[in-house]
Amino acid sequence: MIYRDMNTADYDAAYELWENTEGMGLSSADAREEITLYLERNSGISQVCVREDGTLAGTALCGHDGRRGYMYHVAVSGDCRGLGVGRALVARCLDRLREQGIVKCHLMVIAGNEQGQGFWAGLGWQRRDGILLYSQDV
C-alpha cells in the first residue's frame, strides 16, 4: 500500500469509493469543484491509500480553520478493511494537523452509521453529546 497526499487527480476514484461506502453522506459540497477548492485550501493534509496496482483503497479528507481540524470522508474499500488502512490515513492526517499547530480535530458521523461509530470509538475518539449541528445553504 502507498500512502500519500490526496490531489485533484484522485477525485473520480475517491467519489466512486464514497458512493459505495455504506453510511457515507454526500451532497453538492462533494462536487469536483468543491473538493478541488478544499484540497487547495488545505494543501498536503488530506490523504489517500493506493494499492500497488494504482487503484484507490482509502481516503481521508482533512483540513482546518486555523483553530480546529475537521476530518471528512474517511473511507476504505471493502476488500481492504481490517488491514489498518483507515487507522493509517487518520494518523497521517492528524500528523499533518499537528505540524500546522492544530491541537484538536472534530468529525461527524451519521447517526445510523454503526460501523463508522465503532471505528471512531475504537480509535479512542470521544463521542460528544449535547452538541447539535445546524446547516444552511448560502
Side-chain angles (χ1 to χ4, degrees):
M1 299 289 200
I2 300 162
Y3 294 88
R4 62 169 172 76
D5 295 352
M6 185 177 186
N7 62 60
T8 56
D10 297 313
Y11 178 80
D12 289 332
Y15 195 87
E16 183 178 343
L17 174 62
W18 300 337
E19 280 185 313
N20 292 299
T21 299
E22 188 176 339
M24 182 76 58
L26 296 175
S27 71
S28 61
D30 299 304
R32 179 184 306 277
E33 299 78 25
E34 298 291 328
I35 298 299
T36 297
L37 289 171
Y38 185 83
L39 293 173
E40 288 172 358
R41 273 188 229 104
N42 295 282
S43 180
I45 303 175
S46 296
Q47 299 291 303
V48 294
C49 177
V50 181
R51 295 177 187 91
E52 290 185 18
D53 68 3
T55 59
L56 195 67
T59 64
L61 278 178
C62 189
H64 66 83
D65 60 12
R67 183 172 166 268
R68 295 286 185 251
Y70 298 90
M71 203 169 305
Y72 307 93
H73 295 358
V74 176
V76 176
S77 64
D79 60 331
C80 292
R81 290 188 181 161
L83 302 176
V85 172
R87 287 178 180 269
L89 289 167
V90 169
R92 291 174 60 88
C93 288
L94 294 177
D95 286 344
R96 299 305 190 285
L97 290 174
R98 274 190 290 277
E99 289 168 5
Q100 295 193 24
I102 304 301
V103 298
K104 188 169 204 144
C105 185
H106 300 295
L107 57 90
M108 292 169 266
V109 178
I110 294 174
N113 184 351
E114 298 296 327
Q115 185 175 19
Q117 291 178 47
F119 173 77
W120 294 108
L123 289 182
W125 288 64
Q126 301 299 309
R127 179 178 168 159
R128 304 274 306 264
D129 291 325
I131 296 176
L132 301 176
L133 176 67
Y134 290 80
S135 299
Q136 180 175 349
D137 290 338
V138 296

